Amino acid sequence: MQGILHEEPSILQFMLITCVLGGWTAWRTGKSVADGWQTYTTVVVYTMLLGLGIRFVHHALFNGTMFSLHYYVVDTIILLLFSTAGFRFYRTRQMVSSYYWLYEKASPFSWKNK
């Protein structure tokens, strides 16, 4: 897996920075965008910027490459999964609570008409 998903010698470093630290931050980014009633495009833009921040953390802490398109894309895709889940989770809560006469929760990530 080293070389495909991460460049660090241990997958634990990748999991700690990208999945735990970056994933939590991406989830909160999705929540923040949903709370502001902004569109999903905003989530994508913010997640792309967050991907640059996570690449910097890999560079600063573990001497990883800062400007590697391959690892940036891998990190950003993983972060986009977290931010999309956070966005959909909180947008579902908003729609169900704000428009309770129109919608009901179908799953944690979607709603349906009543």
Side-chain angles (χ1 to χ4, degrees):
M1 294 296 273
Q2 182 181 3
I4 297 172
L5 291 179
H6 62 92
E7 62 184 329
E8 293 83 12
S10 170
I11 194 164
L12 293 176
Q13 293 172 347
F14 170 76
M15 297 294 286
L16 175 70
I17 300 301
T18 301
C19 296
V20 175
L21 180 68
W24 179 80
T25 307
W27 177 275
R28 298 297 295 176
T29 300
K31 178 197 181 304
S32 173
V33 171
D35 284 345
W37 290 95
Q38 298 174 11
T39 63
Y40 181 72
T41 307
T42 308
V43 173
V44 174
V45 171
Y46 288 167
T47 304
M48 291 171 65
L49 293 172
L50 181 60
L52 287 174
I54 292 300
R55 284 307 318 149
F56 175 74
V57 172
H58 281 289
H59 170 71
L61 293 181
F62 303 113
N63 203 21
T65 54
M66 176 67 186
F67 300 110
S68 168
L69 181 62
H70 173 78
Y71 295 122
Y72 169 74
V73 169
V74 169
D75 287 346
T76 305
I77 288 172
I78 291 170
L79 296 174
L80 195 57
L81 292 173
F82 282 101
S83 62
T84 300
F87 177 77
R88 292 295 299 177
F89 182 80
Y90 286 102
R91 180 56 52 95
T92 298
R93 286 179 56 182
Q94 279 181 320
M95 293 299 285
V96 170
S97 64
S98 296
Y99 303 107
Y100 56 87
W101 65 91
L102 291 174
Y103 304 115
E104 62 185 359
K105 189 181 269 192
S107 76
F109 302 106
S110 64
W111 61 90
K112 62 181 180 179
N113 293 331
K114 280 192 172 180

